[in-house]
Amino acid sequence: MPPTPRDADAPRAVRAAVAVLLVAGAAAYTSWALEAVLPTGLSPLRTYVSELAAEDQPYGAFYRAVDFAAGVLVCAGAVVGLVRLRCRSAVPRVRALSALGWAGLVLFGAATAADARLFPLSCAPTVDAACLARERAGLVPATHSAHAVSSSVAVAGALVGMVLLTAAVRRAGAGGARQRTLLAVLVAVELAATVWTLAAVFAFDAGHGTWGLGIGQRLQVLMIAVWLVCLAWLVLVRRRR
């Protein structure tokens, strides 16, 4: 990915497997949307998505399991994409963009899985004053700090994958013009949502409220999921100029 004449040799079953893994991972990555029907007690306007999976939350075990599955599925799809479907264009820059983009998605999937399985939050600091006080006093488990790092790594990997693979798709002329434009729009919205989320996190840490942290982060993770589905479609149909 993106497809080139020599990529046509890739078995359809391989491309289908990559597409299915990416779509399944994207679906699992949007499990937070179930908060619309589950009585989580957390406000989607101001809470971190990962607080749904905190150890003291009623549906924490469920969200941790689904998030872990999302990371494993995306990581598996990206590994196969990196090994079997990375661009074999005669243009070295396109090959490099494609390979690094798939590697970014591998990092995103691995960090997401680690985030859910190894470094869950113990409580929800945006809604639990006692949790926030313990966190600021350094009295929470070390998993809180590790969670912040792994979450940052996951987002960084997603951004690398989205930006570089979208650039590779455009340079190689993969897909149709509308698909290429859609990928670019999703990347732009993702970058804007990331800036919003970072600003909200800094505001919260400084004691100035949440600045719509929940909305910004949910938009951020939604754009990643939608982009993964679009990428899966391009992998499956492998249209080219």
Side-chain angles (χ1 to χ4, degrees), residues 1-3 166 169-184 230 233-235 237-241:
M1 172 68 207
T166 297
V169 165
R170 293 180 68 84
R171 286 180 175 274
R178 290 182 179 178
Q179 287 85 358
R180 294 194 295 272
T181 299
L182 177 58
L183 287 179
C230 293
W233 173 254
L234 283 175
V235 166
V237 301
R238 70 163 199 209
R239 289 178 58 192
R240 63 179 182 274
R241 285 191 300 217

Side-chain angles (χ1 to χ4, degrees), residues 36-137:
V37 295
L38 295 176
T40 64
L42 299 179
S43 169
L45 302 179
R46 57 179 303 222
T47 58
Y48 291 104
V49 173
S50 56
E51 287 179 301
L52 292 166
E55 293 179 321
D56 69 342
Q57 294 304 303
Y59 299 97
F62 165 75
Y63 279 111
R64 289 194 298 274
V66 178
D67 287 347
F68 176 73
V72 170
L73 288 166
V74 173
C75 186
V79 167
V80 178
L82 178 62
V83 174
R84 298 295 301 273
L85 300 181
R86 72 180 186 277
C87 182
R88 292 172 175 79
S89 168
V91 181
R93 186 169 183 177
V94 175
R95 292 202 305 271
L97 287 172
S98 180
L100 290 174
W102 281 115
L105 292 187
V106 172
L107 179 62
F108 162 70
T112 297
D115 211 29
R117 179 58 62 87
L118 302 177
F119 312 124
L121 296 174
S122 64
C123 53
T126 63
V127 295
D128 184 342
C131 175
L132 179 60
R134 292 197 304 273
E135 189 174 72
R136 289 179 172 172

Side-chain angles (χ1 to χ4, degrees), residues 177-198:
R178 290 182 179 178
Q179 287 85 358
R180 294 194 295 272
T181 299
L182 177 58
L183 287 179
V185 169
L186 292 173
V187 169
V189 176
E190 170 67 14
L191 291 172
T194 298
V195 172
W196 179 359
T197 300
L198 289 174

